[in-house]
Amino acid sequence: MDKEQARIRIGELRDLINENNRRYYVENSPVISDYEYDMLMNELIALEKQYPELVTEDSPTMRVGSDLANRPDAKSGKAAAQQKEFAQYPHRYPMLSLGNTYDISEVEAFADRASRSIGDRFTFSTELKFDGTAICLTYRHGELFRALTRGDGTIGDDVTENVHHISNIPRKLTGGGWPDEFEIRGEIYMPYKAFDRLNAERERDEDPPFANPRNAASGSLKLINPKEVGHRGLECTLYHMLGENLPFETHDQALNAAASWGLPVSDKRKICRDIHEIEEYISYWDTERKFLPFATDGIVIKVNELAFQKSLGYTSKFPRWAVAYKFQAERALTKLRSIDYQVGRTGAVTPVANLDPVPLSGTTVKRASLHNLDQMRLLDIRIGDYVYVEKGGEIIPKITGVEISQRPAGAVVPEFPSVCPDCGTPLVRDEGEAKFFCPNAEGCPTQIMGKLVHFISRKAMNVIAGDATIEQMFRLGLVRKPSDLYSLDKDDLLKLEGWKERSAERFLASIEASKATPFDHVLFALGIRYVGETTAKSLARHFGDMDSLMAASREELLAVEDIGEVIADSVLAFFADSRNREEVERLKAAGLKFSMAEESSEVSDLLAGKTIVISGNFSISRDAMKALIEKNGGKNSSSVSSRTSYLLAGSKPGPEKMKKAEQLGIEVIDEARLMQMLGGSTPDADGEAEAQATAADTRTGSQVANVQSPVAGDKTAEDRKEDGPGSGPEVRQDAEGQLKLF
Ligand code: IVH
């Protein structure tokens, strides 16, 4: 390749890598595998090596990917808007990545380089490479002081409050002898069990499932509601201690000490003396990792002696004293026995493959999703074929290919059904849709039961009953639609198999309690196609009550943030159907909440004596924001004066107001800061902090950059943005040889 061709390819590779960084770190929904990503990066590294004059400072080979949602170079406004804005703080020591390889000979080369540089009198610490999201914990005087994400390696998001809800991270250390202040870094990950539970819930609620536990972990860590973080079952493992004058000679001693202080440290570490022991460790875990309850994507090999780590030092991106050996994604070959066609609550028909059981990443796989007819055709799949199944942590493994060379004679092309496998109604496929649907929403038993199960689910009406109970109720003719649940009496319930007085009373109490469910959850419970939890929340907040929503025109729906044409049309179609409108009336008569205003109006005096001027747009309407301020004892004012306590700035605040505030020295706060002041984390108009957010549900926040300064003298993200590249903090080694930000 000549220089001009290289220049073009380098440009392409940088764009591709940047885009995939954004999808991986910001959106938590990668579209290529880690392996494919690493191959792109290797190609770029090789070209930059060949043509060093084409290397630029902003090349992705020179910096770590950023998880900051509102980072200066975040390309997608939408992604940024979906993330909560956390306060950001600089890292004391930059948070770097690791050089990685899939090739054992490169691990040998790493070990050779190390011994050429530091001799033979050193050891290696070999460890599992946990597949999660990096975290940096600072402990001061034995207490957790702050938790930062990696961010862009230089500054990170402050997720301390969320980390408090991760059960194995201690707020206080135990034992004794810890330094007054130290940092310890590690990985927050989601064990398979918690991941499967979360995705099952998301699939049921028609929220997009997470592709793998890593994405689920990093999405969950950035949830708005810290309590919801607690429900996600995240765990932490710590693998790197940093600080001034730490009293340890080796990395291993430091981690053993950390473990003795109650910090979670992996017991799967091993000290190796040479490359043979390293290779033994790698090959042992290459098999054994499949039986671990969490995802690992490789092995990390570190020089164990801290003095040698110091002398080997760092490149701009990696330590020279460590390397990661990565395992190839796992794949298995097995036989396709048959295909089932499953009907969901919205009527969508999904083909599911029945396979000869095959072990894969710690579980036995018997079924795999085939997504839709297009995917089946793309794979050219036949019953009897040998197919490749991949998991990579997903709850439902997928079929990624067919081994044509092993195709048996007489393998049959599967026939996609033309009628609903449950009720026999001819299937339809709308234009632009990948899936076929059963249009018999009112009569198809699977759909009816699916809708009822959705209606009572935790994030909807939260009625305590299982799928089997709903099925029994349906089969006995007790319920067909959600409103029927509200007219059940004890005699009806006693007809259910095994039900006694107590279970009936408990169920009725739960039904009664469900009447207090806030409007946005009720809206979600109705099961309107494409209206997941987040969308329901946006619609409920925007329109305030059901009547306004039902009367909304297409244009009015499209004006709601994050509502596109597909959702708008689906909402219109739902309310155009008189049966749905009648059902809403019945539920209203049963006493369910169909208005935000009806919700409990908790009041506080947290803003007593404060006069607040609002400017710009917020995640709730301006009127709702004013009401929120008043409910909490504050006063609204329309112009900034010396009597103003705060200027609350949303996205696109008025420049005049901003200028005036600056002249008068009035503190400017953003929506997130106001919510903090109110002691909650969600801007519910009623001040309730107990919103049940999910990762995709990281509520549309205000787009204004964080205007609060976390600590006096600290630069905010916005300051950095204005400073431009190059004027940020500088990375240097201090006298101890530690990398630091100056
Ligand atoms: S040591 C200076 N040890 O993998 C870098 N990292 O792909 C120190 N990771 O950035 C990192 N398990 O987020 C280290 N046992 C382990 C690890 C580990 C997972 C993550 C970490 C790192 C990334 C690189």
Side-chain angles (χ1 to χ4, degrees):
M1 195 181 285
D2 69 22
K3 193 164 160 188
E4 261 334 282
Q5 287 168 324
R7 194 193 298 280
I8 294 166
R9 182 65 186 148
I10 284 176
E12 283 170 3
L13 286 166
R14 285 179 187 163
D15 285 350
L16 268 172
I17 291 168
N18 285 333
E19 174 58 13
N20 282 297
N21 273 343
R22 191 182 62 73
R23 286 183 180 261
Y24 184 93
Y25 287 108
V26 180
E27 292 193 354
N28 295 313
S29 94
V31 285
I32 60 172
S33 69
D34 285 5
Y35 183 74
E36 287 167 301
Y37 175 89
D38 289 333
M39 292 306 114
L40 292 175
M41 187 64 102
N42 283 352
E43 190 184 344
L44 181 58
I45 292 170
L47 282 175
E48 288 185 351
K49 212 172 187 174
Q50 197 182 345
Y51 297 102
E53 63 277 26
L54 298 181
V55 176
T56 56
E57 232 179 72
D58 66 349
S59 171
T61 56
M62 306 293 281
R63 56 198 173 96
V64 299
S66 172
D67 67 45
L68 299 176
N70 48 348
R71 74 192 198 280
D73 62 343
K75 274 194 201 159
S76 154
K78 183 153 191 245
Q82 282 172 355
Q83 296 263 352
K84 173 176 174 174
E85 293 204 353
F86 291 90
Q88 293 172 343
Y89 291 89
H91 284 296
R92 186 155 187 194
Y93 313 100
M95 230 168 144
L96 303 179
S97 184
L98 284 173
N100 67 58
T101 177
Y102 291 84
D103 185 347
I104 197 78
S105 68
E106 288 190 24
V107 177
E108 287 163 15
F110 160 80
D112 276 353
R113 270 197 311 278
S115 48
R116 270 202 306 276
S117 165
I118 54 182
D120 310 329
R121 295 167 56 87
F122 73 98
T123 53
F124 296 99
S125 172
T126 42
E127 310 170 4
L128 298 181
K129 182 163 166 6
F130 290 81
D131 199 7
T133 183
I135 191 77
C136 174
L137 308 177
T138 302
Y139 280 85
R140 272 193 193 163
H141 308 297
E143 287 190 25
L144 177 61
F145 170 69
R146 184 173 292 154
L148 292 180
T149 66
R150 183 207 306 275
D152 62 2
T154 307
I155 48 174
D157 279 335
D158 180 354
V159 289
T160 316
E161 222 193 317
N162 286 358
V163 158
H164 282 153
H165 292 264
I166 298 177
S167 60
N168 75 339
I169 299 183
R171 281 197 190 205
K172 279 187 180 192
L173 301 180
T174 50
W178 52 74
D180 273 354
E181 174 161 347
F182 66 95
E183 280 188 19
I184 188 150
R185 294 177 175 178
E187 206 82 354
I188 305 257
Y189 62 92
M190 188 176 282
Y192 288 129
K193 222 174 168 176
F195 172 71
D196 288 350
R197 197 185 54 208
L198 173 64
N199 259 359
E201 251 177 57
R202 290 177 70 84
E203 297 220 336
R204 200 187 52 211
D205 296 346
E206 297 212 332
D207 280 330
F210 284 107
N212 54 48
R214 193 215 76 87
N215 298 328
S218 79
S220 301
L221 186 62
K222 293 209 168 177
L223 279 171
I224 292 163
N225 185 348
K227 282 194 197 138
E228 183 62 22
V229 179
H231 293 144
R232 291 285 175 98
L234 295 174
E235 289 183 15
C236 178
T237 183
L238 298 167
Y239 46 62
H240 188 200
M241 196 191 292
L242 293 129
E244 307 297 304
N245 306 315
L246 294 178
F248 308 110
E249 283 178 8
T250 65
H251 164 74
D252 189 48
Q253 282 169 5
L255 291 193
N256 288 339
S260 78
W261 304 330
L263 289 163
V265 170
S266 168
D267 58 3
K268 312 276 186 290
R269 296 175 287 130
K270 186 172 181 250
I271 299 300
C272 294
R273 278 162 305 178
D274 55 35
I275 186 71
H276 304 293
E277 289 185 3
I278 295 175
E279 283 175 4
E280 228 171 81
Y281 183 86
I282 289 178
S283 79
Y284 175 80
W285 282 111
D286 199 4
T287 320
E288 287 301 308
R289 74 189 170 105
K290 291 159 203 163
F291 306 104
L292 290 170
F294 48 79
T296 49
D297 58 343
I299 297 296
V300 182
I301 303 119
K302 302 172 181 172
V303 168
N304 185 32
E305 289 71 18
L306 300 180
F308 290 142
Q309 286 190 0
K310 186 171 134 186
S311 64
L312 286 165
Y314 294 81
T315 70
S316 68
K317 212 174 149 178
F318 309 128
R320 288 201 188 87
W321 46 263
V323 73
Y325 171 81
K326 287 177 74 171
F327 299 123
Q328 288 272 8
E330 249 217 287
R331 230 164 52 133
L333 191 63
T334 188
K335 191 173 175 137
L336 172 66
R337 289 266 165 220
S338 62
I339 298 176
D340 286 341
Y341 297 88
Q342 286 184 348
V343 191
R345 75 171 155 88
T346 56
V349 177
T350 306
V352 178
N354 293 310
L355 307 164
D356 268 358
V358 62
L360 187 68
S361 310
T363 55
T364 302
V365 174
K366 299 187 206 87
R367 284 158 72 77
S369 172
L370 274 163
H371 302 292
N372 53 49
L373 180 61
D374 294 342
Q375 177 72 6
M376 286 164 61
R377 291 207 175 124
L378 203 69
L379 291 167
D380 181 26
I381 203 163
R382 316 264 168 101
I383 309 291
D385 266 342
Y386 278 84
V387 294
Y388 288 104
V389 194
E390 275 184 40
K391 208 167 154 203
E394 290 90 342
I395 177 174
I396 304 174
K398 51 186 179 204
I399 293 185
T400 53
V402 173
E403 186 50 67
I404 304 280
S405 68
Q406 292 192 42
R407 174 164 287 168
V412 189
V413 178
E415 205 174 315
F416 204 93
S418 59
V419 299
C420 172
D422 192 27
C423 69
T425 306
L427 299 181
V428 294
R429 185 179 186 172
D430 293 339
E431 210 182 307
E433 286 281 356
K435 293 206 163 189
F436 280 88
F437 281 85
C438 164
N440 182 21
E442 296 290 314
C444 176
T446 313
Q447 288 187 61
I448 296 174
M449 282 187 277
K451 284 196 179 82
L452 289 165
V453 166
H454 168 74
F455 184 82
I456 62 161
S457 63
R458 187 172 74 87
K459 288 176 187 164
M461 303 305 289
N462 197 19
V463 175
I464 302 156
D467 302 10
T469 300
I470 291 293
E471 180 165 354
Q472 260 204 78
M473 287 177 172
F474 172 74
R475 304 258 178 235
L476 288 173
L478 296 173
V479 290
R480 262 192 95 80
K481 36 187 194 319
S483 56
D484 296 338
L485 290 165
Y486 292 88
S487 44
L488 289 172
D489 59 26
K490 218 190 247 179
D491 288 342
D492 293 328
L493 297 170
L494 291 175
K495 292 181 193 147
L496 300 173
E497 207 185 302
W499 279 51
K500 304 240 161 59
E501 289 276 320
R502 282 231 11 216
S503 33
E505 276 163 16
R506 220 180 290 145
F507 178 81
L508 289 173
S510 176
I511 281 283
E512 197 51 39
S514 77
K515 294 181 184 169
T517 306
F519 173 43
D520 54 338
H521 292 244
V522 176
L523 185 57
F524 169 59
L526 293 180
I528 305 172
R529 209 161 144 205
Y530 305 119
V531 179
E533 228 189 315
T534 319
T535 308
K537 205 165 275 175
S538 306
L539 289 170
R541 284 209 176 110
H542 188 92
F543 291 101
D545 59 45
M546 194 62 163
D547 292 338
S548 317
L549 172 63
M550 282 165 74
S553 66
R554 192 167 192 269
E555 287 63 40
E556 284 164 339
L557 287 166
L558 287 171
V560 184
E561 201 158 1
D562 288 337
I563 306 288
E565 294 187 352
V566 175
I567 300 179
D569 289 341
S570 166
V571 172
L572 287 174
F574 185 87
F575 291 121
D577 188 331
S578 61
R579 288 170 299 191
N580 291 333
R581 283 203 309 274
E582 282 156 24
E583 176 66 357
V584 167
E585 287 311 316
R586 280 189 291 267
L587 290 170
K588 244 186 214 170
L592 269 60
K593 292 199 187 309
F594 280 96
S595 152
M596 291 303 252
E598 282 177 52
E599 289 169 29
S600 73
S601 54
E602 249 173 57
V603 284
S604 86
D605 55 2
L606 288 164
L607 299 175
K610 304 283 184 223
T611 301
I612 301 179
V613 176
I614 72 171
S615 184
N617 300 317
F618 302 91
S619 67
I620 55 177
S621 74
R622 290 166 58 85
D623 283 344
M625 185 57 92
K626 284 184 188 162
L628 178 65
I629 291 169
E630 277 169 8
K631 266 190 193 173
N632 288 283
K635 226 179 101 193
N636 286 290
S637 163
S638 54
S639 57
V640 178
S641 74
S642 58
R643 283 188 300 278
T644 307
S645 318
Y646 305 110
L647 171 62
L648 174 63
S651 63
K652 303 204 193 105
E656 283 307 314
K657 282 188 178 149
M658 291 294 276
K659 207 166 123 196
K660 191 92 184 275
E662 195 189 289
Q663 280 165 0
L664 295 172
I666 307 290
E667 191 177 346
V668 181
I669 59 171
D670 67 356
E671 188 175 334
R673 173 84 186 107
L674 180 78
M675 295 310 143
Q676 259 175 16
M677 290 161 100
L678 295 179
S681 48
T682 61
D684 277 346
D686 61 358
E688 270 184 31
E690 191 55 27
Q692 300 198 335
T694 69
D697 184 302
T698 36
R699 175 192 47 81
T700 308
S702 70
Q703 296 208 14
V704 68
N706 247 340
V707 282
Q708 96 248 37
S709 187
V711 283
D714 253 353
K715 281 193 172 183
T716 63
E718 189 67 354
D719 293 335
R720 283 173 209 290
K721 215 187 288 184
E722 285 175 3
D723 283 349
S727 59
E730 197 189 329
V731 181
R732 274 190 265 138
Q733 285 197 1
D734 69 2
E736 291 291 299
Q738 302 261 33
L739 268 200
K740 264 191 165 176
L741 296 163
F742 291 88

